[in-house]
Amino acid sequence: MKIVVCVKHVPDAAADRSFDASDHTVDRSGVDGLLSELDEYAVEQALTIAEVGDGEVTVLTIGPEQAGDAVRKALQMGADNGVHVSDEAIPGSDAIATSLVLAKAVEKLDYDIVLCGMASTDGEMGVVPAMLAERLGIAQVTYGSELTVDGSTIRLRRDGDVSSETVEASTPAVVSVTDQTPEARYPSFKGIMAAKKKPVESWSLTDLGVDADQVGLASAWSTVLATQARPPRSKGEIVTDEGDGGVKLVQYLASQKFV
Amino acid sequence: MSEILVLVDHVDGAVRKPTLELLTLARRLGEPSAVFLGSGAEQAKDSLAAYGAEKVYAADDSAFVDFLVAPKAEALAQLVGQASPSAVLIPSSPEGKEVAGRLAIKIESGLITDAVDVVAGDSGPEVTKSVFAGNHTVTTSVTRGTPIITVKPNAVTPEEATGAASVEAFTPSISDAAKTARVVERKERKATGRPELTEAAIVVSGGRGTGGDFGPIEAFADSLGAAVGASRAVVDSGWYPHSYQVGQTGKTVSPQLYVAAGISGAIQHRAGMQTSKTILAVNKDDEAPIFELVDFGVVGDLHKVLPQATEEVTKRKG
Ligand SMILES: Cc1cc2nc3c(=O)[nH]c(=O)nc-3n(C[C@H](O)[C@H](O)[C@H](O)COP(=O)(O)OP(=O)(O)OC[C@H]3O[C@@H](n4cnc5c(N)ncnc54)[C@H](O)[C@@H]3O)c2cc1C
Ligand SMILES: Nc1ncnc2c1ncn2[C@@H]1O[C@H](COP(=O)(O)O)[C@@H](O)[C@H]1O
């Protein structure tokens, strides 16, 4: 079983994220980056499947130089090898271009399953896995809260708004998993040492046969007209409960006509 | 006038509220046509007409229920080819976004997800999104093809308007390639009798501070006619189902009133509730970050404050 797991290097959500004033792209300077926490769940699932099925896990990322840290973290957790796609034409790419580059990279690799996170913690679109399946022309089995792989059969529980579905498909497939799947493992000391010797290939757009004008900010199919920081909420009234906190709460609700 | 396609979100023909919001937004851009995939179009027709749908394109194929996402994207792409609309609006559920993503690739058009507002602009729809856990708003527009926009619940208050809602059946051809992820089992969620979380005007949420006892949360919610929500800590502890989780990896809510009880206010939780009109919190720690957001807060034990508040509401309602 060969598994490619797509991971994204993202700015830390706990930091003060903002936009570059000149071109409205995400300002990555001054904010620490990390392997998207939601992609850790995908790495964990990939490792679990590989352990059972004697598989091989390749970590794939598209991103600037720092994105190599995300690959390294996944290798420390136990993935076997990595591919880092970077190119000066890529920054500013939208999900459409990202899915194109991912598809070309995946096609160059040998794979049975492509595993993704449910969404990136910065873009939060949650569309790349579906787009990737569309481009690769293979099954899309996404938003799994629970995943099992038995031979070539993939089984996944997808919790929707009105119902919970069990979905089945055969490999090859694009699979994405949510943060309802088991918590990701921490890299062990042994894992950290071993990761240093694991191979990571660097690919450019030329290696993938993608034209520079198919990606990047200028060729995105949508454009940002303006960005605005949300005005901070003005701090309201805080009272300490002295046996009448509930009554005070309702008095406030009444003053606002909720009761 | 230009035609705007609205993908209908329904359960066996019962139209869900976000669709009515989309029809309302579509009228700002042109003439709304509803796209109904699955069975029950006749049943849905009246509510679609009441919110201004001039046409209802209806297609029924067992593939829509038997397989995940791909058949719907195929049907929609074929309809876009036929009708040449000037925009496509889709509800921003996980499924809606995935349909939209596949459609964007198929028809080579730009996609904007999670809109909280859509207005007509000089060169196509101008879309507002809320990003970075609600800390920033962004205005965007599509620059290529037919704009595809997924819209979050509560982006607008649905406004009634009379539409003809003339039903036009269409028969998409669904390829075998789209029939690869089969739904082998479907368990409907039990109805609670409370309002739908994303649609409710009032949401009362409980966090780890409940200690697992949601009785006081539910009782207070019921006294206000509110929906119940939960933090991820609660869901992870198995105290309340995941479908009630508010936040980055749960639901985004934007009600008139949000009450957070025993919730610290982590960034990922804020992401799902920060745009609520009025925010209240009950927390025993006066330094909990949730208090930075509130219009009114009570520092105290929720197990004392909420039951008293419930009693007070009931008393006032007489
Ligand atoms: C990738 C990612 C995605 C995430 N997505 C989400 C998400 O969608 N939604 C979400 O909620 N979280 C999410 N989280 C988790 C989030 O970071 C927090 O861990 C979580 O929100 C904490 O829940 P809590 O506030 O209930 O618990 P805690 O942070 O433990 O806070 C409990 C609060 O209750 C108070 N309290 C205790 N006892 C009482 C009492 N008797 N009366 C009153 N107050 C009391 C305490 O003072 C404290 O402030 C995500 C995290 C990650 C990394
Ligand atoms: N730049 C990237 N490199 C590798 N994988 C990515 C990248 N962007 C998105 N993905 C994958 O697609 C998933 C969904 O991302 P998104 O649609 O951007 O929310 C992520 O969880 C990743 O698995």
Side-chain angles (χ1 to χ4, degrees), chain A residues 13 36-39 41 121 179 183, chain B residues 206-211 230-234 236 239 242 245-251 258 260-272 282-290 298-305:
Chain A
S36 169
E37 283 156 313
L38 292 175
D39 292 345
Y41 292 91
T121 53
D179 60 344
E183 201 72 42
Chain B
R208 203 195 304 272
T210 59
S231 72
R232 192 174 88 170
V234 163
D236 285 352
W239 297 340
H242 177 248
Q245 183 179 315
V246 172
Q248 185 187 351
T249 54
K251 303 270 161 56
Y258 187 86
I263 293 178
S264 61
I267 180 92
Q268 295 90 352
H269 187 78
R270 291 178 181 209
V282 180
N283 196 304
K284 67 178 188 191
D285 174 8
D286 65 353
E287 285 179 9
I290 191 77
V298 179
V299 180
D301 183 347
L302 72 90
H303 295 105
K304 298 203 178 94
V305 175

Side-chain angles (χ1 to χ4, degrees), chain B residues 8-32:
Chain B
V8 176
D9 183 9
H10 68 96
V11 182
D12 301 326
V15 177
R16 303 183 69 212
K17 189 168 158 236
T19 304
L20 310 181
E21 295 163 2
L22 264 57
L23 287 170
T24 305
L25 289 174
R27 296 207 303 274
R28 297 179 180 171
L29 309 174
E31 207 170 80

